Amino acid sequence: MKKLITSIAICLTILTSYSYSQQKDTIRKRNTIYFEIFGQGLINSINYDRLLVVNEKSTTSITIGFSHWGYLMSTSENKVTSTGIPISFNYLYGKNNHNLELGIGVTQMFTKIEMDMTSILSPLTSLFSEEITQIKSIDQISTTYFTPKIGYRYQQLNGGFCFRATLTPLIILRQIDNASANIGNDVSNFSTSSSLITDRSVKPWFGISFGYTF
């Protein structure tokens, strides 16, 4: 009898330890860092995603990222640079590693356009009392985008490789345009405008992401 009780106790101990081990191994990893091509950052972005509420079939998360890109239009004096901060709240539906992803978000973009106007306006330089060596225009645009999304997310429960593919239409909510002209060493604001965009046209867009969950 004692041997039977001892054997049962040993079996229960082993089963309990195994169950605890399995439960510990299946605790879902909540943090993801991923790089997105296009998407909320328009051209590119690096993002951090944190799972908030985790249920059996659904999960919520919040994402914040950083975007920076630029290009030369013709010379080093004519260039466009943009910096953005995408933020979104996401709802994931699915079991195991495969999820339908729905989300709402906003992206704040700051764009700077610099152009050398010297060659274009050179015939007018005779109107100035002193010789003008450079005429440069600087346009600074602040744009707020509303970015809903729907797509697919592959995110492993125990961490590791993560993949996302989403449709992310861009809707301009607000845009402020500040323009200035740099004539020689003097800077004068020739126009400043602040406007709330009323046209809510949808611009189709998409994003592809690769990352790591830990």
Side-chain angles (χ1 to χ4, degrees):
M1 188 67 178
K2 289 183 179 180
K3 289 183 178 180
L4 179 60
I5 294 175
T6 303
S7 300
I8 294 174
I10 293 173
C11 290
L12 289 175
T13 301
I14 293 173
L15 289 175
T16 302
S17 300
Y18 178 78
S19 176
Y20 175 78
S21 175
Q22 289 293 100
Q23 183 179 7
K24 184 177 180 180
D25 289 341
T26 57
I27 293 177
R28 186 158 190 174
K29 304 298 182 182
R30 292 176 177 261
N31 304 292
T32 300
I33 293 178
Y34 64 86
F35 178 78
E36 184 170 36
I37 303 171
F38 305 130
Q40 278 191 280
L42 276 68
I43 300 298
N44 62 56
S45 62
I46 183 74
N47 303 271
Y48 169 73
D49 180 86
R50 169 74 179 182
L51 299 184
L52 299 176
V53 179
V54 178
N55 296 317
E56 183 179 356
K57 292 185 178 180
S58 64
T59 305
T60 59
S61 77
I62 188 169
T63 304
I64 184 168
F66 176 78
S67 172
H68 182 77
W69 48 273
Y71 62 91
L72 302 178
M73 289 185 286
S74 58
T75 68
S76 59
E77 297 298 327
N78 299 335
K79 58 185 178 181
V80 177
T81 55
S82 286
T83 300
I85 302 175
I87 300 174
S88 67
F89 178 80
N90 315 298
Y91 174 81
L92 308 178
Y93 180 82
K95 284 186 175 182
N96 301 323
N97 304 328
H98 305 279
N99 300 272
L100 168 68
E101 180 173 355
L102 305 173
I104 54 173
V106 293
T107 298
Q108 184 65 49
M109 294 295 300
F110 303 94
T111 302
K112 185 176 183 180
I113 304 173
E114 300 178 71
M115 295 189 66
D116 185 3
M117 308 293 290
T118 307
S119 59
I120 299 175
L121 300 178
S122 57
L124 301 177
T125 56
S126 59
L127 299 176
F128 297 94
S129 58
E130 59 182 16
E131 183 180 358
I132 302 300
T133 58
Q134 185 182 51
I135 302 175
K136 191 174 185 179
S137 71
I138 301 175
D139 204 8
Q140 300 186 51
I141 304 171
S142 174
T143 308
T144 304
Y145 294 94
F146 174 57
T147 55
K149 57 185 172 181
I150 179 172
Y152 166 76
R153 182 190 292 202
Y154 173 79
Q155 183 170 331
Q156 300 180 71
L157 300 179
N158 293 330
F161 175 73
C162 175
F163 171 79
R164 298 170 64 256
T166 59
L167 295 176
T168 312
L170 304 175
I171 305 171
I172 297 177
L173 296 180
R174 190 166 185 262
Q175 190 172 71
I176 300 175
D177 191 345
N178 296 312
S180 63
N182 187 332
I183 304 175
N185 295 323
D186 297 326
V187 177
S188 59
N189 290 325
F190 59 82
S191 67
T192 300
S193 61
S194 299
S195 59
L196 181 63
I197 302 299
T198 56
D199 182 9
R200 297 292 187 266
S201 60
V202 178
K203 301 181 185 300
W205 204 239
F206 69 97
I208 301 292
S209 307
F210 304 90
Y212 186 81
T213 301
F214 59 96

